[in-house]
Amino acid sequence: MASKRLNVLVYSGNGSTIESVRHCVYTLRRLLSPHYAVIPVNGDAIIKEPWTATCAMLVFPGGADLGYCKTLNGEGNRRISQFVERGGTYFGFCAGGYYGSARCEFEVGNKSLEVIGYRELAFYPGTCRGCAFPGFVYHSEKGARAAELKVDKTALSEGSMPDVFHSYYNGGGIFVDAPKYKHKGVEVLASFTEKINVDPGEGSAAIVYCKIGEGAAILTSPHPEFAAVNLDRDADSQHFPEVVDVLSVDDKPRTDFLKGCLTKLGLKINQETNSVPSLSRLHLTSMQPAETSKIIAALQDIITVEEGEEYIKDENDTFHLEKPSAWSLSSLAESLPGEPNEKTDRCDLIEDKIIDYSTVVKRLLIHDKEHPTSKETPYFNHHAFFANLKHYQSKGKEAALDFGKNLMYGEVVTSTNTMLEKNTQVLRRLPAGFTATATVQVAGRGRGSNVWVSPAGSLMFSTVVRHAMSLTTHAPIVFLQYLTALAIVEGVKTYDRGYESLPIKLKWPNDIYALDPSKPHSEKAYVKIGGILVNSHYSSTEYLSVIGVGLNTTNPSPTTSLNALLPSHLQPFTLEKLLARILNSFSSLYARFVQEGFDKSFEEMYYRYWLHTDQIVTLETEG
């Protein structure tokens, strides 16, 4: 059973620069979300982790390719080559273009900068020779320019393709004699129009496409992934503001060209480019709103006051504590006549550019009088959630714990897991069962080199488990991920009458699969629709764990969703009711686990829902 390729991995290890990685991640997320998860990955992951089956494209950003060689020569490059030859894709920008060529010649004769040597990947069978233009200085904009490129529309025929456009350039090479390698699957996608500083051979190829086995690579000299809005006009070059101005004018044709490149590599792009979302307010409440004050009381010793405002400054995030006010400015704004403001719940609106979300202060609205109204949280109905949680609790045949009783919700958040697990001062003071959920995550986390794409319509939540050390002899903490998987499948199948036969399975150790409704039923093709991530902290008396879940519920991308599985006579899932059901299922399973351990009844349940039950499984090694 082949995995669907959902990850776009951006190399961020030795040799790369932070700025180049940020530009790559920013641009690719805007063009590829929600179809792919775009995430940084280091050299160890490329060498050691099983990333190839779920990776659609491997990206090497700008930097210095000698660092790439030092880390990846040998096993790393063998895995990259095999990945591409077997149907994967590679996108190399600037240094990534040098690295993907058979030979690198950089500033030959300049002893302080010279780099000459053969490269193992050799996607482009010739030499990448640079610098194409003079003046390059490492970690500087002194040699940067807005290079004009002429597009070959015969090689890029899809979409709205410009004839010429300007792209940020700083140190890239020329693909020497590129037209001569046409018989080896090389196509020139764009060429420089200006005079080249080195011998280019035939042509002046700036960006090339290389067919490699069942896969392909695109290598560039300039940086079409650099958006002008993310460039610093005050950099160390007098002419750089003019460069930024030229690039700003050509931002649309640059984006159209990059879309064409991604489409040529077989990726599914957004026709409408996504903007960078602003983080929203967080809403803290409890099943009984008055009990919210108990959570704040537990946090009191880490709350600081500045100019009359309350803050919690933790390791990863800073939270600004607020209380609803009948006469707050935001309430007044909402009550005034005129067009409704769709972003009144958002934190300070942010320009559409690269954002370090950890520096954004998170505004935490404390609801200790009543639940948030539908106007405050239009995409999550707190009344429906707590009503369903209470209903499921009343139907339970065995004792359950209070998972979901205390809830933090945000329309747009970084990551529910990060906000809980990476802010340890807050985490240590939260009660067991405290749950964070969101409509959209902009920095979702996953296991190893994977993350789960987190668009609207996906059920995303994280919950806190406090597991006493005294329990670990008969109830080891490692079983939390299995209990969570069981709770998800049980929660879906017991959502209501008629849902028992939905084709949902679990895959060891932490994935949820569903029968792909787009394939013939006879194929029995299953696709991943959810994932689980468990992070634990150890103290002298307990394990403090955060369980994160992402589950495609109403969203059709990137694979399929629970609603796509439903026959016409069943009502669609709602996120509020499903969250309540899964939390209640986990609460019951965990209470039993604490008493009995992972006994035979749990084992039988696991095998009943296991994806590979009664299947013949073939184990293969790479190579």
Short mmCIF file of all heavy atoms in Angstrom, two decimals, residues 207-234:
data_model
loop_
_atom_site.label_atom_id
_atom_site.label_comp_id
_atom_site.label_asym_id
_atom_site.label_seq_id
_atom_site.Cartn_x
_atom_site.Cartn_y
_atom_site.Cartn_z
N ILE A 207 17.68 28.87 -15.40
CA ILE A 207 16.83 27.90 -14.72
C ILE A 207 16.60 26.71 -15.65
O ILE A 207 16.18 26.89 -16.80
CB ILE A 207 15.48 28.51 -14.29
CG1 ILE A 207 15.71 29.72 -13.36
CG2 ILE A 207 14.59 27.47 -13.60
CD1 ILE A 207 14.45 30.47 -12.98
N VAL A 208 16.89 25.49 -15.17
CA VAL A 208 16.78 24.31 -16.02
C VAL A 208 15.92 23.24 -15.36
O VAL A 208 15.86 23.13 -14.13
CB VAL A 208 18.17 23.71 -16.36
CG1 VAL A 208 18.97 24.68 -17.22
CG2 VAL A 208 18.94 23.35 -15.09
N TYR A 209 15.28 22.45 -16.21
CA TYR A 209 14.51 21.28 -15.78
C TYR A 209 15.26 20.05 -16.26
O TYR A 209 15.73 19.99 -17.40
CB TYR A 209 13.12 21.33 -16.41
CG TYR A 209 12.31 20.06 -16.29
CD1 TYR A 209 11.47 19.84 -15.20
CD2 TYR A 209 12.36 19.08 -17.28
CE1 TYR A 209 10.72 18.68 -15.08
CE2 TYR A 209 11.61 17.92 -17.18
CZ TYR A 209 10.79 17.72 -16.08
OH TYR A 209 10.04 16.56 -15.98
N CYS A 210 15.38 19.06 -15.38
CA CYS A 210 16.12 17.84 -15.71
C CYS A 210 15.25 16.62 -15.40
O CYS A 210 14.83 16.44 -14.25
CB CYS A 210 17.42 17.77 -14.89
SG CYS A 210 18.43 19.26 -14.95
N LYS A 211 14.99 15.81 -16.40
CA LYS A 211 14.24 14.57 -16.21
C LYS A 211 15.19 13.50 -15.69
O LYS A 211 16.21 13.20 -16.31
CB LYS A 211 13.60 14.13 -17.53
CG LYS A 211 12.78 12.86 -17.44
CD LYS A 211 11.58 13.02 -16.52
CE LYS A 211 10.75 11.74 -16.46
NZ LYS A 211 9.75 11.79 -15.39
N ILE A 212 14.84 12.91 -14.52
CA ILE A 212 15.71 11.93 -13.87
C ILE A 212 14.88 10.67 -13.57
O ILE A 212 14.07 10.67 -12.64
CB ILE A 212 16.30 12.47 -12.55
CG1 ILE A 212 16.91 13.86 -12.74
CG2 ILE A 212 17.31 11.48 -11.97
CD1 ILE A 212 18.12 13.89 -13.64
N GLY A 213 15.06 9.62 -14.35
CA GLY A 213 14.30 8.39 -14.13
C GLY A 213 12.81 8.68 -14.18
O GLY A 213 12.30 9.29 -15.13
N GLU A 214 12.10 8.28 -13.11
CA GLU A 214 10.66 8.55 -13.03
C GLU A 214 10.37 9.92 -12.41
O GLU A 214 9.21 10.33 -12.34
CB GLU A 214 9.98 7.46 -12.20
CG GLU A 214 10.07 6.07 -12.83
CD GLU A 214 9.44 5.01 -11.94
OE1 GLU A 214 8.76 5.39 -10.95
OE2 GLU A 214 9.63 3.82 -12.22
N GLY A 215 11.42 10.61 -11.94
CA GLY A 215 11.23 11.90 -11.30
C GLY A 215 11.85 13.03 -12.09
O GLY A 215 12.16 12.89 -13.29
N ALA A 216 12.05 14.17 -11.43
CA ALA A 216 12.59 15.34 -12.12
C ALA A 216 13.18 16.32 -11.11
O ALA A 216 12.89 16.26 -9.92
CB ALA A 216 11.50 16.03 -12.93
N ALA A 217 14.03 17.23 -11.64
CA ALA A 217 14.62 18.27 -10.81
C ALA A 217 14.56 19.59 -11.56
O ALA A 217 14.66 19.63 -12.79
CB ALA A 217 16.07 17.93 -10.47
N ILE A 218 14.38 20.68 -10.82
CA ILE A 218 14.53 22.03 -11.37
C ILE A 218 15.62 22.72 -10.57
O ILE A 218 15.60 22.72 -9.33
CB ILE A 218 13.21 22.82 -11.31
CG1 ILE A 218 12.21 22.26 -12.33
CG2 ILE A 218 13.46 24.31 -11.59
CD1 ILE A 218 10.87 22.98 -12.36
N LEU A 219 16.59 23.28 -11.28
CA LEU A 219 17.71 23.97 -10.66
C LEU A 219 17.71 25.43 -11.12
O LEU A 219 17.49 25.71 -12.30
CB LEU A 219 19.03 23.31 -11.05
CG LEU A 219 19.12 21.78 -10.91
CD1 LEU A 219 20.50 21.29 -11.35
CD2 LEU A 219 18.82 21.34 -9.50
N THR A 220 17.97 26.35 -10.19
CA THR A 220 17.95 27.76 -10.53
C THR A 220 19.25 28.45 -10.14
O THR A 220 19.94 28.03 -9.22
CB THR A 220 16.79 28.50 -9.83
OG1 THR A 220 17.16 28.81 -8.48
CG2 THR A 220 15.51 27.67 -9.82
N SER A 221 19.54 29.52 -10.85
CA SER A 221 20.62 30.43 -10.49
C SER A 221 20.09 31.57 -9.63
O SER A 221 20.64 31.85 -8.56
CB SER A 221 21.30 30.97 -11.75
OG SER A 221 22.17 32.04 -11.42
N PRO A 222 19.00 32.25 -10.05
CA PRO A 222 18.43 33.30 -9.21
C PRO A 222 17.51 32.70 -8.15
O PRO A 222 17.43 31.48 -7.99
CB PRO A 222 17.64 34.14 -10.22
CG PRO A 222 17.18 33.14 -11.24
CD PRO A 222 18.31 32.13 -11.35
N HIS A 223 16.81 33.58 -7.45
CA HIS A 223 15.91 33.17 -6.37
C HIS A 223 14.47 33.57 -6.69
O HIS A 223 13.95 34.54 -6.13
CB HIS A 223 16.33 33.82 -5.05
CG HIS A 223 17.55 33.25 -4.42
ND1 HIS A 223 17.53 32.14 -3.62
CD2 HIS A 223 18.84 33.66 -4.48
CE1 HIS A 223 18.76 31.87 -3.20
NE2 HIS A 223 19.58 32.77 -3.70
N PRO A 224 13.75 32.82 -7.53
CA PRO A 224 12.35 33.17 -7.79
C PRO A 224 11.45 32.95 -6.58
O PRO A 224 10.30 33.39 -6.58
CB PRO A 224 11.97 32.22 -8.94
CG PRO A 224 12.92 31.07 -8.81
CD PRO A 224 14.20 31.65 -8.31
N GLU A 225 11.97 32.30 -5.54
CA GLU A 225 11.18 32.10 -4.31
C GLU A 225 11.25 33.30 -3.38
O GLU A 225 10.52 33.36 -2.38
CB GLU A 225 11.65 30.83 -3.58
CG GLU A 225 12.89 30.97 -2.73
CD GLU A 225 14.22 31.02 -3.48
OE1 GLU A 225 14.21 31.24 -4.71
OE2 GLU A 225 15.27 30.85 -2.83
N PHE A 226 12.13 34.28 -3.65
CA PHE A 226 12.25 35.46 -2.81
C PHE A 226 11.19 36.50 -3.20
O PHE A 226 11.20 36.99 -4.33
CB PHE A 226 13.64 36.10 -2.96
CG PHE A 226 14.70 35.50 -2.07
CD1 PHE A 226 14.76 34.14 -1.84
CD2 PHE A 226 15.67 36.30 -1.49
CE1 PHE A 226 15.73 33.57 -1.02
CE2 PHE A 226 16.67 35.76 -0.68
CZ PHE A 226 16.69 34.39 -0.45
N ALA A 227 10.29 36.82 -2.27
CA ALA A 227 9.29 37.86 -2.49
C ALA A 227 9.85 39.20 -2.03
O ALA A 227 10.50 39.29 -0.99
CB ALA A 227 8.00 37.54 -1.74
N ALA A 228 9.59 40.25 -2.81
CA ALA A 228 10.15 41.58 -2.49
C ALA A 228 9.72 42.05 -1.12
O ALA A 228 10.48 42.73 -0.42
CB ALA A 228 9.71 42.58 -3.56
N VAL A 229 8.52 41.68 -0.68
CA VAL A 229 8.01 42.16 0.61
C VAL A 229 8.87 41.68 1.77
O VAL A 229 8.88 42.31 2.84
CB VAL A 229 6.54 41.71 0.80
CG1 VAL A 229 6.44 40.20 1.01
CG2 VAL A 229 5.88 42.45 1.94
N ASN A 230 9.62 40.59 1.57
CA ASN A 230 10.44 40.03 2.64
C ASN A 230 11.90 40.49 2.59
O ASN A 230 12.72 40.04 3.40
CB ASN A 230 10.40 38.50 2.59
CG ASN A 230 9.03 37.97 2.92
OD1 ASN A 230 8.38 38.44 3.83
ND2 ASN A 230 8.57 36.98 2.15
N LEU A 231 12.23 41.38 1.68
CA LEU A 231 13.60 41.88 1.57
C LEU A 231 13.77 43.16 2.38
O LEU A 231 12.84 43.97 2.49
CB LEU A 231 13.95 42.14 0.10
CG LEU A 231 13.96 40.89 -0.79
CD1 LEU A 231 14.15 41.28 -2.26
CD2 LEU A 231 15.04 39.92 -0.36
N ASP A 232 14.95 43.34 2.95
CA ASP A 232 15.23 44.48 3.81
C ASP A 232 15.77 45.64 2.99
O ASP A 232 16.90 45.61 2.51
CB ASP A 232 16.26 44.06 4.87
CG ASP A 232 16.61 45.18 5.83
OD1 ASP A 232 15.94 46.24 5.78
OD2 ASP A 232 17.54 44.99 6.64
N ARG A 233 14.95 46.66 2.81
CA ARG A 233 15.37 47.83 2.01
C ARG A 233 16.55 48.55 2.63
O ARG A 233 17.26 49.29 1.96
CB ARG A 233 14.19 48.80 1.86
CG ARG A 233 12.99 48.21 1.15
CD ARG A 233 11.85 49.22 1.10
NE ARG A 233 12.21 50.36 0.29
CZ ARG A 233 11.98 50.46 -1.03
NH1 ARG A 233 11.39 49.45 -1.66
NH2 ARG A 233 12.34 51.52 -1.70
N ASP A 234 16.77 48.36 3.93
CA ASP A 234 17.86 49.05 4.64
C ASP A 234 19.12 48.21 4.72
O ASP A 234 19.95 48.40 5.62
CB ASP A 234 17.39 49.44 6.04
CG ASP A 234 16.21 50.39 6.02
OD1 ASP A 234 16.18 51.25 5.13
OD2 ASP A 234 15.33 50.26 6.90
#
